[in-house]
């Protein structure tokens, strides 16, 4: 009887969702992505101050996104074999350095160098932070990933608002205030690292092997991962068009001020945060495949209407698009982690990295296209991207134990 009780207690402990860690890593993600969001929020200021073209604006995003993407899969592969709990705080140090450099940058090459530092910090942070969320989930992986992603999207939404209130009225050097955000992040991540290190010791003692959640062949797993990357391409390319150029679109089409445009961007990014929060739990309940399908393909009617809407309906549609399309990422990432549960770091790095990389490439391409045509034409073209969501139909249903 005592043996049975001990076994049940062990199982319950293994399935306990550690909300204190989930909300801590959520807050750290908020701080990390808030620092990242300073970069696109500064585009109108930098474009006017240094007479940048849309192509150069796109190259800034491309530089940041590439440095934030290329390293992530390699960080994930390495930490799958050699987890490094304190690398989370180390990554935040890179972001801190990039923010200091951006506040003092006086030329286009220096701007590129500063955003590259922020990108490196992000590439170190995301794979390990996503693993922390996975380990703290207690089996509620969709919920855990949504809480984690909520922090990032909330930080992305708050960043432009803080830039609008602090930096735009006073000037580029006031970016230095965001150093305080990085310092808080380093402190929080150092505390998380202590729990993470203890959790790793516990796992090594139990010698737990990867839990299989399906009976798919290796080839089927690879094809499913490719399909998920195609869906990430659709989502990330469209989201980049909004985060990088939505303010320019509103200013050019509706002749509103930079501050008003930033408020509209804040509303869109806030909607993205809401969509991210609901996507994971809905995937846990109804199945991740169906949430992925609904999230990407379901955004298409609204994206197709956006180029024809007036200012009021543009604001409404952007919020709807943000909620619907953002609910996909947590479901996609957890679906991929469940396909390869023994490679959580690699999968997290691959998908975060691919999302950032595609976003950077998309920003550069769309910036060049905007220079050659118009920003309104760019949004007309991008409105068709969510139709790629039809590929979600071909994803297999995972058979849970």
């Amino acid at each position: 009887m005592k043996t049975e009780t001990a076994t049940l207690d062990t199982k319950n402990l293994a399935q306990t969702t550690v909300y204190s860690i989930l909300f801590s890593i959520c807050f750290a993600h908020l701080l990390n992505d808030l620092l990242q969001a300073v970069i696109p929020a500064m585009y109108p200021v930098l474009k006017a101050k240094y007479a940048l073209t849309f192509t150069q604006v796109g190259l800034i995003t491309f530089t940041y996104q590439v440095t934030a993407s290329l390293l992530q899969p390699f960080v994930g592969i390495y930490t799958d074999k050699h987890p490094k709990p304190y690398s989370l705080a180390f990554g935040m140090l890179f972001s801190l350095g990039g923010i200091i450099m951006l506040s003092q940058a006086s030329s286009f090459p220096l701007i590129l160098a500063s955003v590259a530092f922020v990108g490196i910090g992000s590439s170190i942070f995301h794979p390990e932070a996503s693993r922390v969320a996975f380990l703290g989930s207690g089996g509620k992986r969709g919920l855990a990933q949504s809480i984690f992603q909520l922090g990032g999207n909330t930080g992305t939404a708050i960043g432009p608002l803080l830039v609008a209130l602090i930096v735009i009225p006073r000037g580029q050097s006031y970016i230095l205030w965001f150093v305080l955000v990085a310092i808080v992040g380093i402190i929080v991540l150092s505390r998380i690292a202590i729990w993470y290190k203890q959790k790793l010791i516990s796992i090594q003692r139990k010698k737990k092997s990867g839990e299989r959640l399906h009976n798919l062949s290796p080839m089927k797993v690879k094809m499913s991962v490719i399909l998920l990357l195609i869906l990430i391409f659709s989502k990330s390319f469209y989201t980049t068009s909004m985060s990088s150029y939505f303010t320019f679109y509103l200013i050019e089409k509706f002749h509103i001020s930079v501050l008003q445009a930033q408020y509209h961007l804040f509303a869109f990014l806030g909607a993205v945060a809401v969509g991210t929060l609901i996507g994971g739990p809905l995937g846990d309940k109804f199945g991740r495949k169906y949430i992925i399908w609904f999230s990407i393909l379901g955004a298409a009617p609204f994206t197709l209407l956006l180029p024809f809407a007036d200012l009021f309906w543009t604001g409404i549609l952007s919020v709807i698009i943000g909620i619907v399309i953002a609910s996909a990422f947590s479901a996609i990432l957890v679906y991929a982690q469940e396909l390869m549960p023994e490679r959580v770091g690699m999968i997290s790095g691959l998908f975060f990295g691919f999302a950032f990389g595609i976003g950077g490439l998309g920003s550069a391409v769309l910036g060049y296209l905007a220079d050659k045509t118009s920003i309104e034409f760019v949004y007309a073209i991008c409105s068709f991207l969510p139709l790629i969501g039809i590929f979600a139909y071909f994803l297999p249903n995972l058979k849970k134990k």
Side-chain angles (χ1 to χ4, degrees):
M1 187 68 178
K2 288 183 179 180
T3 304
E4 289 180 7
T5 304
T7 303
L8 288 172
D9 289 342
T10 302
K11 288 181 178 179
N12 290 335
L13 183 63
Q15 291 300 313
T16 299
T17 303
V18 190
Y19 285 102
S20 60
I21 290 299
L22 292 182
F23 285 112
S24 295
I25 200 66
C26 168
F27 181 61
H29 200 188
L30 182 154
L31 299 177
N32 181 81
D33 285 22
L34 190 156
L35 295 177
Q36 297 173 51
V38 169
I39 296 170
M42 283 297 296
Y43 286 168
V45 174
L46 297 174
K47 188 176 187 296
K49 185 174 182 179
Y50 299 105
L52 303 179
T53 65
F54 279 119
T55 301
Q56 287 176 307
V57 171
L59 286 173
I60 294 172
T61 303
F62 178 74
T63 300
Y64 160 69
Q65 300 282 39
V66 166
T67 54
S69 63
L70 289 181
L71 289 177
Q72 286 205 41
F74 298 103
V75 171
I77 290 169
Y78 178 77
T79 55
D80 277 334
K81 297 180 179 178
H82 311 284
K84 302 292 182 183
Y86 290 96
S87 65
L88 293 164
F90 185 69
M92 188 65 75
L93 280 173
F94 272 92
S95 297
L96 186 152
I99 288 297
I100 293 173
M101 291 172 62
L102 184 61
S103 71
Q104 306 300 315
S106 57
S107 65
F108 182 63
L110 287 176
I111 292 171
L112 294 181
S114 63
V115 301
F117 264 77
V118 178
I120 292 170
S122 178
S123 68
I124 296 172
F125 172 83
H126 280 98
E128 282 292 77
S130 186
R131 192 201 307 275
V132 169
F134 189 88
L135 292 176
S137 68
K140 299 177 182 177
R141 299 186 184 93
L143 174 64
Q145 196 59 228
S146 280
I147 292 173
F148 173 62
Q149 284 299 114
L150 174 66
N153 287 324
T154 302
T156 302
I158 293 174
L161 186 62
L162 293 180
V163 168
L165 296 174
I166 298 171
V167 182
I168 289 177
R170 299 173 180 85
Q172 179 184 348
S173 62
Y174 277 76
I175 294 174
L176 272 174
W177 280 101
F178 289 91
V179 167
L180 297 175
V181 174
I183 292 172
V184 173
I186 291 169
I187 295 170
V188 172
L189 289 169
S190 297
R191 299 296 299 172
I192 292 172
I194 296 172
W195 175 88
Y196 184 12
K197 188 175 182 179
Q198 292 172 343
K199 183 71 174 179
L200 290 174
I201 293 171
S202 173
I203 291 173
Q204 288 172 357
R205 284 175 179 170
K206 294 174 184 176
K207 296 181 180 180
K208 293 175 71 175
S209 59
E211 178 189 6
R212 289 191 62 81
L213 297 172
H214 59 80
N215 55 1
L216 303 177
S217 67
M219 180 57 67
K220 192 70 173 179
V221 169
K222 290 178 183 178
M223 291 304 299
S224 298
V225 169
I226 291 171
L227 285 174
L228 292 171
L229 290 173
I230 291 172
L231 296 169
I232 284 287
F233 162 80
S234 169
K235 176 195 174 297
S236 297
F237 214 95
Y238 187 85
T239 304
T240 293
S241 75
M242 295 293 283
S243 60
S244 295
Y245 298 108
F246 193 43
T247 52
F248 295 116
Y249 173 78
L250 294 170
I251 292 167
E252 182 174 311
K253 185 173 182 178
F254 302 112
H255 310 292
I256 61 176
S257 68
V258 172
L259 190 59
Q260 288 175 302
Q262 291 282 21
Y263 287 144
H264 277 80
L265 179 60
F266 172 73
F268 168 74
L269 296 174
V272 168
V274 173
T276 299
L277 179 62
I278 65 177
L282 288 176
D284 285 338
K285 186 172 184 179
F286 299 108
R288 310 194 202 291
K289 173 181 175 178
Y290 303 108
I291 298 303
I292 294 167
W293 195 359
F294 165 78
S295 299
I296 299 179
L297 189 61
F302 306 106
T303 61
L304 290 168
L305 284 173
L306 186 67
F308 306 99
D310 59 18
L311 180 59
F312 172 78
W313 282 107
T314 294
I316 298 296
L317 288 171
S318 68
V319 168
I320 296 172
I321 291 167
I323 292 173
V324 175
I325 205 167
S327 59
F329 189 80
S330 294
I332 289 174
L333 183 57
V334 175
Y335 186 103
Q337 289 174 342
E338 290 178 345
L339 284 171
M340 303 178 68
E342 72 285 356
R343 294 287 184 267
V344 172
M346 185 200 73
I347 286 294
S348 301
L350 175 64
F351 276 80
F352 277 114
F354 187 75
F356 286 143
I358 286 298
L361 178 62
S363 183
V365 170
L366 295 176
Y368 177 80
L369 190 60
D371 280 333
K372 293 298 181 182
T373 56
S374 70
I375 199 73
E376 293 184 41
F377 179 75
V378 166
Y379 274 84
I381 294 296
C382 288
S383 65
F384 292 92
L385 284 171
L387 293 174
I388 294 175
I390 192 68
F391 282 100
Y393 173 80
F394 300 101
L395 290 171
N397 289 311
L398 298 186
K399 296 179 180 179
K400 292 188 177 182
K401 291 183 179 180

